Amino acid sequence: MNKILKYLGLPLVYIGVLWLAICFLVGWTDSNALLSIGVIMIAIGIITYVIKMKRESKY
């Protein structure tokens, strides 16, 4: 499971951005729940990526 979490940061950001783009193109911008899913995925991806980079860094 730890190996999967190591590479999960940036793909989650990409999926979140893709989700928001799909929501915009399809016209699902009326629902805050659908838009929140994309924002949450982006936030979790950024947090995961930063934690991974801090653990791998020597400093």
Side-chain angles (χ1 to χ4, degrees), residues 17-39:
V17 170
L18 184 65
W19 178 257
L20 288 175
I22 289 171
C23 286
F24 177 74
L25 291 174
V26 176
W28 295 340
T29 55
D30 296 336
S31 173
N32 284 338
L34 290 175
L35 297 175
S36 297
I37 292 171
V39 172

Side-chain angles (χ1 to χ4, degrees), residues 10-59:
L10 284 180
L12 260 178
V13 173
Y14 297 146
I15 292 169
V17 170
L18 184 65
W19 178 257
L20 288 175
I22 289 171
C23 286
F24 177 74
L25 291 174
V26 176
W28 295 340
T29 55
D30 296 336
S31 173
N32 284 338
L34 290 175
L35 297 175
S36 297
I37 292 171
V39 172
I40 289 170
M41 282 195 289
I42 292 170
I44 290 173
I46 291 171
I47 291 169
T48 305
Y49 182 76
V50 169
I51 290 172
K52 181 189 88 151
M53 293 307 286
K54 282 190 170 224
R55 286 187 182 172
E56 290 180 355
S57 177
K58 291 188 290 185
Y59 302 104

